[in-house]
Coordinates of all heavy atoms in Angstrom, one line a residue:
T503 N -41.3 57.4 -2.7 CA -40.5 57.2 -3.9 C -39.3 56.3 -3.5 O -38.9 55.4 -4.3 CB -40.0 58.5 -4.4 OG1 -41.1 59.3 -4.8 CG2 -39.2 58.3 -5.7
V504 N -38.7 56.6 -2.3 CA -37.6 55.7 -1.9 C -38.1 54.3 -1.7 O -37.4 53.3 -2.1 CB -37.0 56.3 -0.6 CG1 -36.0 55.3 0.0 CG2 -36.3 57.6 -0.8
N505 N -39.3 54.1 -1.1 CA -39.8 52.8 -0.8 C -40.1 52.1 -2.2 O -39.8 50.9 -2.3 CB -41.1 52.9 0.0 CG -40.9 53.3 1.4 OD1 -39.8 53.3 1.9 ND2 -41.9 53.9 2.0
L506 N -40.5 52.8 -3.2 CA -40.8 52.2 -4.5 C -39.5 51.7 -5.1 O -39.5 50.6 -5.6 CB -41.5 53.3 -5.4 CG -41.8 52.8 -6.8 CD1 -42.8 51.7 -6.8 CD2 -42.3 54.0 -7.7
D507 N -38.4 52.5 -5.0 CA -37.1 52.0 -5.5 C -36.7 50.7 -4.8 O -36.2 49.8 -5.4 CB -36.1 53.1 -5.3 CG -36.3 54.3 -6.2 OD1 -37.0 54.1 -7.2 OD2 -35.8 55.4 -5.9
K508 N -36.8 50.7 -3.4 CA -36.4 49.5 -2.7 C -37.2 48.3 -3.1 O -36.7 47.2 -3.3 CB -36.7 49.7 -1.2 CG -35.7 50.7 -0.5 CD -36.0 50.8 1.0 CE -35.0 51.8 1.7 NZ -35.3 51.9 3.1
K509 N -38.5 48.5 -3.3 CA -39.4 47.4 -3.7 C -39.1 46.9 -5.1 O -39.1 45.7 -5.4 CB -40.8 47.8 -3.5 CG -41.3 47.9 -2.1 CD -42.8 48.1 -2.0 CE -43.2 48.0 -0.5 NZ -44.7 48.0 -0.3
N510 N -38.8 47.8 -6.0 CA -38.4 47.5 -7.4 C -37.1 46.7 -7.4 O -36.9 45.8 -8.2 CB -38.4 48.7 -8.2 CG -39.7 49.2 -8.6 OD1 -40.7 48.5 -8.6 ND2 -39.9 50.5 -8.9
Q511 N -36.2 47.1 -6.5 CA -34.9 46.4 -6.4 C -35.1 45.0 -5.9 O -34.5 44.0 -6.4 CB -33.9 47.1 -5.5 CG -33.4 48.4 -6.0 CD -32.6 49.2 -5.0 OE1 -32.2 48.7 -4.0 NE2 -32.3 50.5 -5.3
I512 N -36.0 44.8 -5.0 CA -36.4 43.5 -4.4 C -37.0 42.6 -5.6 O -36.6 41.4 -5.8 CB -37.3 43.6 -3.3 CG1 -36.6 44.2 -2.0 CG2 -37.9 42.2 -2.9 CD1 -37.6 44.5 -0.9
I513 N -37.9 43.2 -6.3 CA -38.5 42.5 -7.5 C -37.4 42.1 -8.5 O -37.4 40.9 -9.0 CB -39.6 43.4 -8.1 CG1 -40.8 43.6 -7.2 CG2 -40.0 42.8 -9.4 CD1 -41.8 44.6 -7.6
A514 N -36.5 43.0 -8.8 CA -35.4 42.7 -9.7 C -34.5 41.6 -9.2 O -34.1 40.7 -10.0 CB -34.6 44.0 -10.0
E515 N -34.3 41.5 -7.9 CA -33.4 40.5 -7.4 C -34.1 39.1 -7.4 O -33.5 38.1 -7.8 CB -33.0 40.8 -5.9 CG -32.0 39.8 -5.4 CD -31.4 40.2 -4.1 OE1 -31.6 41.3 -3.6 OE2 -30.7 39.3 -3.4
I516 N -35.4 39.1 -7.1 CA -36.1 37.8 -7.2 C -36.2 37.4 -8.7 O -36.0 36.2 -9.0 CB -37.6 38.0 -6.7 CG1 -37.6 38.3 -5.2 CG2 -38.4 36.8 -7.0 CD1 -38.9 38.7 -4.6
K517 N -36.3 38.3 -9.6 CA -36.4 38.0 -11.0 C -35.0 37.4 -11.5 O -34.9 36.4 -12.2 CB -36.7 39.2 -11.9 CG -37.0 38.9 -13.3 CD -37.5 40.2 -14.0 CE -38.8 40.6 -13.5 NZ -39.3 41.8 -14.3
F545 N -39.9 43.0 1.5 CA -40.8 43.8 0.7 C -42.0 44.2 1.6 O -42.5 45.3 1.5 CB -41.3 42.9 -0.5 CG -42.2 43.6 -1.4 CD1 -41.7 44.1 -2.6 CD2 -43.5 43.6 -1.2 CE1 -42.5 44.7 -3.5 CE2 -44.4 44.3 -2.1 CZ -43.9 44.8 -3.3
T548 N -41.2 47.0 4.0 CA -41.0 48.3 3.5 C -42.3 49.1 3.4 O -43.3 48.6 3.1 CB -40.4 48.2 2.0 OG1 -39.2 47.4 2.1 CG2 -40.0 49.5 1.5
V551 N -45.9 53.0 -1.1 CA -45.4 53.6 -2.3 C -46.5 54.6 -2.8 O -47.6 54.5 -2.3 CB -45.1 52.5 -3.4 CG1 -44.0 51.5 -2.8 CG2 -46.3 51.8 -3.8
L555 N -49.2 54.0 -8.0 CA -48.3 52.9 -8.5 C -48.4 51.7 -7.6 O -47.8 50.7 -7.8 CB -46.9 53.4 -8.5 CG -46.6 54.5 -9.5 CD1 -45.1 55.0 -9.4 CD2 -46.8 54.1 -11.0
Q558 N -49.9 48.4 -9.2 CA -48.9 47.9 -10.2 C -47.7 47.3 -9.5 O -47.3 46.2 -9.9 CB -48.5 49.0 -11.1 CG -47.6 48.5 -12.3 CD -48.2 47.5 -13.2 OE1 -49.3 47.7 -13.6 NE2 -47.5 46.4 -13.4
N559 N -47.2 47.9 -8.5 CA -46.0 47.4 -7.8 C -46.3 46.1 -7.1 O -45.5 45.1 -7.2 CB -45.6 48.5 -6.8 CG -44.3 48.1 -6.0 OD1 -44.4 47.8 -4.8 ND2 -43.2 48.1 -6.7
W560 N -47.5 46.0 -6.5 CA -47.9 44.8 -5.8 C -48.1 43.6 -6.9 O -47.6 42.5 -6.6 CB -49.2 45.0 -5.1 CG -49.7 43.7 -4.4 CD1 -50.7 43.0 -4.8 CD2 -49.2 43.0 -3.3 NE1 -50.9 41.9 -4.0 CE2 -50.0 41.9 -3.0 CE3 -48.1 43.3 -2.4 CZ2 -49.7 41.0 -2.0 CZ3 -47.8 42.4 -1.4 CH2 -48.7 41.3 -1.1
D562 N -46.6 43.4 -9.8 CA -45.3 43.0 -10.3 C -44.6 42.0 -9.3 O -44.0 41.1 -9.7 CB -44.4 44.3 -10.5 CG -44.9 45.1 -11.7 OD1 -45.7 44.6 -12.5 OD2 -44.4 46.3 -11.8
F563 N -44.8 42.3 -8.0 CA -44.2 41.5 -7.0 C -44.7 40.1 -7.0 O -44.0 39.1 -7.0 CB -44.4 42.2 -5.6 CG -43.9 41.4 -4.4 CD1 -42.6 41.0 -4.3 CD2 -44.9 40.9 -3.5 CE1 -42.2 40.3 -3.2 CE2 -44.5 40.1 -2.4 CZ -43.1 39.8 -2.3
T566 N -43.7 38.2 -10.2 CA -42.3 37.8 -10.1 C -42.2 36.6 -9.2 O -41.4 35.6 -9.5 CB -41.4 38.9 -9.6 OG1 -41.6 40.1 -10.5 CG2 -39.9 38.6 -9.7

Side-chain angles (χ1 to χ4, degrees):
T503 301
V504 171
N505 291 340
L506 180 63
D507 289 340
K508 286 182 182 177
K509 289 189 172 184
N510 283 338
Q511 288 173 13
I512 290 171
I513 292 171
E515 186 172 348
I516 295 174
K517 193 173 292 185
F545 185 95
T548 304
V551 302
L555 298 173
Q558 182 61 48
N559 182 250
W560 177 255
D562 289 347
F563 175 63
T566 305

